[in-house]
Amino acid sequence: MSRNPARAMVCASFATLFVATVHATGPVYQDLDRTFEERAADLVSRMTLEEKVAQLQNDAPAISRLGVPAYEWWNEALHGVARAGAATVFPQAIGIASTFDPALMTRIATVISDEARAKHHDFASRNQRKRYQGLTFWSPNINIFRDPRWGRGQETYGEDPYLTSVLGVAFVKAMQGDDPKYRKVDATAKHYAVHSGPEHNRHEFDVHPTERDLWETYLPAFHALVQEGKVASVMGAYNRVNGESASASKRLLTEILRTQWGFDGYVVSDCDSIEDVWKFHKIVATPEEAAALGIRTGLEVNCGRTYGALFNAVHKGLITEAEIDHALRRAMLTRFQLGMFDPPEKVRWARIPYKVNQSPEHDALAREVAQKSLVLLKNDGLLPLDRAELKTIAGVAA
């Protein structure tokens, strides 16, 4: 202890002032008292052009000097957490849709997102940040299933735009959670838009729906997930729509999604759909032009490698670094909103224990969903029901 109380007081005051000054002048992106938007913008401003370009691709590398861990955007959770160890597996989406039960969908997606969070934090604790280990899930598939020959129809909720909307909104809300600060996980509305096969030529197909069909059949579910579900992400499709790549469409991404519907999340490409823009659709001639078109029309994250050409695109004058910054701020913002840069004890969802995976309660729900998804395909005398013996139908008095 100092023998001079006055001197000790001065030293203590100086130390307090020094700590406060260091805190105030430290990186904004590390300041938990700043908004996520401010933190994301500050972090982006500290990156080199090469680092920015790399962060806009699905397999984003670590930036050690900034304390940014590697992140793989690609994850799936259509009817359970996919390809990440043991998980509760629910019936396929088309089976869940057969229940016609949005409340049941809420319970399903709550279980899926609980297991997703538990898995992610377990992986992160071991510094494992590979594919299927993150928090950005490319589900649900809300395309309209019109043609039974389409190989991915089982991923959808069927052919009805209204049912697809209702179930999709329930799925998104339960996946993303109800915390006022941190999102539980990101859901992704896919594949935007008019994507329902044929599968074999999806990389070059140009679909021309009537305006009525576009607005009454293919867009309602996306509109509902954006405005009612507040979905965090939208995935562009492989195909063209009226000549424009769905993943680089000024009309779909800029005019409808952002301007008319007010979408404020981020858009991700289907895998290699930006490559298709120049390689198969031949809308432009080079990867640099395709990457620049994607950024300019509003697609932030590229699943694939074509956005790697953005570095050369800047130097060729096809795109500006400021435009890249705008896209990257949206992409980094969601990582802050998911709590990836904050202490786990601050994030409510980080406290979900790993033991929830395939718990008896979750397995019981999977069985319940399977039972409720059963559909009568052939009538072997069951119908018509005997009114004399019938007491209730679907729990309602007959």
Side-chain angles (χ1 to χ4, degrees), residues 193-194 205-209 214 239-246 249 252:
V194 201
F205 186 64
D206 186 12
V207 60
H208 291 262
L214 178 67
N239 51 276
R240 277 174 285 163
V241 180
N242 295 320
E244 288 187 311
S245 164
S249 167
L252 289 177

Side-chain angles (χ1 to χ4, degrees), residues 190-319:
K190 70 180 187 184
H191 310 80
Y192 182 69
V194 201
H195 182 78
S196 301
E199 198 72 8
H200 71 281
N201 63 349
R202 61 184 179 170
H203 297 282
E204 59 190 31
F205 186 64
D206 186 12
V207 60
H208 291 262
T210 65
E211 282 296 288
R212 179 172 180 174
D213 211 17
L214 178 67
W215 289 98
E216 292 186 359
T217 304
Y218 294 106
L219 295 187
F222 288 99
H223 178 261
L225 265 63
V226 167
Q227 295 204 327
E228 296 176 46
K230 306 300 179 186
V231 71
S233 174
V234 171
M235 177 180 281
Y238 287 116
N239 51 276
R240 277 174 285 163
V241 180
N242 295 320
E244 288 187 311
S245 164
S247 290
S249 167
K250 181 180 179 181
R251 187 185 185 204
L252 289 177
L253 301 182
T254 304
E255 296 174 2
I256 296 176
L257 185 62
R258 294 206 182 276
T259 303
Q260 293 186 35
W261 295 351
F263 178 66
D264 61 0
Y266 61 98
V267 180
V268 60
S269 73
D270 206 342
C271 294
D272 295 321
S273 64
I274 294 297
E275 180 183 60
D276 291 349
V277 173
W278 71 273
K279 195 170 185 179
F280 297 116
H281 293 310
K282 301 189 184 302
I283 294 170
V284 295
T286 66
E288 290 81 3
E289 291 174 294
L293 182 63
I295 292 289
R296 283 232 168 98
T297 52
L299 188 136
E300 283 78 29
V301 179
N302 174 213
C303 180
R305 290 286 174 263
T306 308
Y307 268 17
L310 284 170
F311 184 83
N312 289 336
V314 170
H315 291 288
K316 289 182 178 182
L318 298 172
I319 196 83

